[in-house]
Amino acid sequence: MSSAKVVSKKIGIHTSKGEIPAVLHQNNNSEIKPSAGVVMIAGAGGGVYGPCGMYEELCNEFCKNPNIISLRFDQRFPAQLSDGVWDNQAAIKYLVNHYEIEKFVIIGWSFGGAVVLQTAALNPYVKGVITLASQTAGATQPVRKLQNTSLLFIHGTADQCLPYSCSETLYQLAGSNHPDRTLKLCPQDSHGFDKNYKETKSLIKSWACKRLGVDLPQ
């Protein structure tokens, strides 16, 4: 594995509906072209950091493998579902157009869980979806359509914002015949995954890398 440095930069993704603020992370090993992308969206409050600031660390750790490029984007209009899906589609398109990435895992927290499930139902480049403490609003219909998309639902059992039954419901709606669905409940954890922070990060990385067909970053 390359020892090259992971670099990040703020970018603006230009679309017909306005600019989407984002942070792009990549390995500066010029000898290896990235082949897989990880895209992350936060909750209804917007921002680019995710639960307990997890997204920044995850992006940097994913990109220790130069085969992975990662992006975390803000929402133009936080908590607006259709706009969030538009933004997520634009973020994926940006990586497709600029880096020729054709396989993605997308990650959404809370409100963002519905965004990534809706996005995956529309985008054939998405190979896997990870939801963190997802809501069910806006998510119950698209999750039924994702029989060819790997699904990981993570939720804390002490979540006071959205009960873990939300993720249980989404897991069930994916269907008992779904070939690759996983539900992970984190004991006594909150909406921000502060109690199982390291374990949650580790699971996200190993699960995503397996579905993308790339080595787990060391």
Side-chain angles (χ1 to χ4, degrees), residues 1-211:
M1 189 66 63
S2 168
S3 60
K5 183 180 179 181
V6 174
V7 295
S8 64
K9 62 179 179 180
K10 294 181 179 180
I11 63 171
I13 300 172
H14 301 285
T15 77
S16 61
K17 294 187 177 183
E19 184 175 281
I20 302 167
V23 182
L24 180 71
H25 298 248
Q26 61 188 126
N27 194 294
N28 67 356
N29 184 337
S30 60
E31 297 180 359
I32 299 178
K33 179 181 177 181
S35 61
V38 181
V39 176
M40 306 177 193
I41 179 175
V48 294
Y49 294 100
C52 289
M54 185 184 295
Y55 283 177
E56 183 174 14
E57 290 188 13
L58 275 172
C59 283
N60 285 329
E61 291 171 15
F62 271 122
C63 291
K64 289 179 181 178
N65 182 337
N67 292 291
I68 303 173
I69 191 166
S70 58
L71 186 149
R72 48 195 174 102
F73 70 93
D74 201 355
Q75 305 162 54
R76 291 174 300 115
F77 302 103
Q80 299 300 312
L81 189 53
S82 60
D83 289 304
V85 174
W86 170 274
D87 293 347
N88 204 353
Q89 292 275 54
I92 293 171
K93 185 177 180 181
Y94 176 88
L95 295 179
V96 171
N97 289 344
H98 287 78
Y99 298 94
E100 300 180 335
I101 306 299
E102 295 186 351
K103 54 184 179 180
F104 292 85
V105 164
I106 56 178
I107 303 171
W109 174 43
S110 193
F111 162 81
V115 172
V116 294
L117 288 167
Q118 286 202 15
T119 301
L122 298 169
N123 197 310
Y125 290 129
V126 176
K127 306 306 178 185
V129 172
I130 300 174
T131 67
L132 300 167
S134 181
Q135 65 183 42
T136 51
T140 57
Q141 291 305 312
V143 76
R144 302 170 193 262
K145 303 175 182 179
L146 297 176
Q147 292 302 304
N148 296 317
T149 305
S150 298
L151 301 171
L152 172 60
F153 308 99
I154 308 176
H155 217 120
T157 62
D159 191 331
Q160 296 298 307
C161 181
L162 290 166
Y164 67 88
S165 59
C166 290
S167 288
E168 288 183 322
T169 295
L170 294 174
Y171 174 79
Q172 292 164 1
L173 288 174
S176 58
N177 293 325
H178 192 287
D180 187 17
R181 60 171 186 156
T182 302
L183 173 65
K184 172 61 177 177
L185 299 180
C186 302
Q188 300 303 311
D189 216 341
S190 69
H191 196 61
F193 298 96
D194 54 303
K195 290 184 172 60
N196 293 270
Y197 184 84
K198 290 183 178 180
E199 295 87 347
T200 301
K201 271 204 319 172
S202 179
L203 173 60
I204 290 170
K205 288 188 295 181
S206 61
W207 188 94
C209 287
K210 183 176 180 180
R211 274 69 190 177

